[in-house]
Amino acid sequence: MITKTFFTALLPLLFFCNTISAQSIEKKTDSIILSGFSNKDEPGGAFLIAKKGKIIYRKAFGKANLELNVDMTPENVFQIGSMTKQFTAVAILMLEQQGKLKVTDPVSKYIRDYPSGDKITIHHLLTHTSGIKDFTKMKSLSTIAQKEMKPEMMVDFFKNEPVDYAPGEKFDYNNSGYVVLGYIIELVSGQTYEDFIRKNIFKKAGMDHSYYATDRQIIPKRAYGYHQKEHGFVNKTVISFSVPFASGSLMSTVDDMLKWQQALNQNTLLNSSETQKAFRKYKLNNGEEFTYGYGWHLKDIGGIPDREHGGSIFGFKSMGVYIPGEDIYVIGFSNCDCHSPTEITRNIAKIVLQSEKK
């Protein structure tokens, strides 16, 4: 018979093993991050690991502001670039859940004069299979980069460009599609994209330190963005956030991004059937499957399925990896577009996965 004494003796051993495992993850994670963020006097980053919703690693590196010599902290607010697309996709699904639109609807239902809008669906926009011209690849982008653009003006900027391929013919990552989605969110909800995201996502998920990006308003604990030039670092290029709009204009913290992930897991924002639409793979017209859902790349790490997405906008880079089978979330932010957290974040996820197998 296994006695109570045996269990009492076993508990300290289990605690010891868990402590060793946590220390091993911390040491290995530090090593991986320092391979790209080793200089404490340069722009840096913030990283967080959570297992089953519990934070097991949370650290910051380098400087949040070079001019004022301010150290980075895990509480700093970063621009997250294209990770914004996750929020735009979920906002669309929230409107579908409310019965206000369907992902199968053609774009022409909402933007009547959109060229070939009867053939391009909301689904095509969400999955980067629409074929419309990506505005970030247009040479004329520089003419509007610092202008205040209404969503309708942004759509008008690229909508008459020749399409790259027929809707559903191929997957080709596309920022214009998510600008159109942001405009549709405004038309359907009667709110600005900024207000919709703040009221329906940030507030409901408890993301109190997340914002629609601004260079004008005071953002507490803002991390400043930088570029690296031959002679050293310079402040990031100024752009109007009305240009990337719903494809890349949000700001957040590593802690708020964990709240976001938990809100998705707990169906706080969407019911389970709508949520799963974001996380399933879809097929092209020829039946070929591609590895993107609605706002997330659906890949794998060491053969284990994950959901991931990065972001890059002047002065900042971001990367988030979620492994649903193990409930592991890794998020990394950088306040210099010279330091990418993409492979670092994926490599951290590998380490945490390996620790799970031991």
Side-chain angles (χ1 to χ4, degrees):
M1 179 182 283
I2 297 175
T3 64
K4 184 179 178 182
T5 307
F6 175 79
F7 277 116
T8 306
L10 189 62
L11 281 172
L13 181 62
L14 290 171
F15 177 77
F16 177 74
C17 289
N18 286 335
T19 304
I20 291 294
S21 175
Q23 288 174 346
S24 174
I25 288 172
E26 181 180 15
K27 191 174 180 182
K28 288 177 181 176
T29 298
D30 283 346
S31 177
I32 288 171
I33 295 170
L34 288 170
S35 68
F37 293 80
S38 59
N39 193 326
K40 60 182 175 51
D41 296 318
E42 290 184 359
F47 293 83
L48 179 147
I49 309 171
K51 270 185 5 183
K52 296 179 171 55
K54 183 181 178 183
I55 295 171
I56 62 170
Y57 183 97
R58 180 178 177 272
K59 287 188 182 181
F61 301 80
K63 299 291 182 184
N65 185 299
L66 296 181
E67 289 149 314
L68 299 177
N69 197 33
V70 176
D71 289 339
M72 189 73 76
T73 72
E75 292 81 24
N76 280 116
V77 178
F78 293 75
Q79 290 175 34
I80 65 172
S82 283
M83 289 188 77
T84 297
K85 292 179 174 69
Q86 300 175 8
F87 296 87
T88 302
V90 167
I92 287 286
L93 291 173
M94 291 174 90
L95 290 169
E96 181 173 65
Q97 186 171 291
Q98 294 167 17
K100 294 180 179 177
L101 58 73
K102 292 180 181 177
V103 295
T104 53
D105 287 342
V107 170
S108 58
K109 183 173 180 180
Y110 306 98
I111 309 171
R112 288 177 186 168
D113 64 344
Y114 201 97
S116 300
D118 56 334
K119 297 173 185 173
I120 303 167
T121 64
I122 290 174
H123 168 82
H124 289 135
L125 301 175
L126 287 163
T127 55
H128 304 282
T129 57
S130 67
I132 64 177
K133 180 67 69 178
D134 187 339
F135 73 89
T136 62
K137 296 173 182 174
M138 292 169 58
K139 290 180 180 178
S140 53
L141 178 60
S142 60
T143 64
I144 64 161
Q146 295 181 343
K147 289 183 180 177
E148 193 60 32
M149 302 286 285
K150 291 180 180 177
E152 185 177 6
M153 293 165 64
M154 270 308 300
V155 172
D156 286 345
F157 176 69
F158 57 75
K159 74 178 184 184
N160 292 312
E161 292 290 313
V163 296
D164 291 330
Y165 53 87
E169 195 175 280
K170 62 186 280 193
F171 168 85
D172 192 11
Y173 190 82
N174 187 304
N175 290 284
S176 293
Y178 273 76
V179 166
V180 177
L181 289 169
Y183 185 33
I184 290 172
I185 288 166
E186 293 200 350
L187 293 170
V188 172
S189 70
Q191 302 174 58
T192 64
Y193 174 82
E194 178 179 355
D195 284 347
F196 187 92
I197 298 296
R198 185 177 68 250
K199 293 172 185 175
N200 295 283
I201 296 182
F202 291 164
K203 195 169 182 181
K204 287 182 181 177
M207 299 172 68
D208 298 330
H209 306 288
S210 299
Y211 313 87
Y212 188 90
T214 171
D215 282 332
R216 298 284 291 165
Q217 294 173 20
I218 302 300
I219 303 292
K221 299 184 180 176
R222 177 203 296 273
Y224 285 75
Y226 299 93
H227 306 298
Q228 188 172 26
K229 302 291 184 183
E230 285 183 21
H231 60 275
F233 294 98
V234 298
N235 287 303
K236 72 175 181 68
T237 302
V238 174
I239 60 163
S240 168
F241 295 108
S242 63
V243 173
F245 184 45
S247 74
S249 283
L250 296 182
M251 305 174 78
S252 194
T253 65
V254 291
D255 293 317
D256 271 13
M257 290 302 289
L258 175 58
K259 289 180 180 179
W260 163 241
Q261 185 57 52
Q262 289 175 311
L264 294 168
N265 290 352
Q266 296 161 5
N267 297 319
T268 304
L269 306 170
L270 292 170
N271 62 38
S272 57
S273 62
E274 285 292 339
T275 300
Q276 286 313 305
K277 287 186 179 183
F279 303 132
R280 55 163 292 200
K281 293 176 184 177
Y282 294 96
K283 293 180 179 179
L284 299 173
N285 297 342
N286 63 5
E288 180 186 339
E289 190 177 71
F290 57 97
T291 57
Y292 199 94
Y294 292 171
W296 278 265
H297 292 280
L298 306 173
K299 298 185 179 180
D300 68 88
I301 291 179
I304 297 173
D306 79 338
R307 304 165 186 165
E308 59 182 68
H309 214 288
S312 182
I313 193 165
F314 291 129
F316 296 89
K317 285 186 182 288
S318 61
M319 182 64 177
V321 175
Y322 181 64
I323 302 167
E326 302 290 343
D327 195 5
I328 293 167
Y329 186 58
V330 184
I331 181 81
F333 290 155
S334 166
N335 68 325
C336 179
D337 48 22
C338 59
H339 296 148
S340 173
T342 301
E343 284 309 308
I344 288 173
T345 303
R346 283 180 60 84
N347 287 335
I348 293 169
K350 284 179 193 172
I351 283 175
V352 183
L353 271 175
Q354 287 164 4
S355 75
E356 290 285 292
K357 294 175 182 177
K358 290 179 182 177

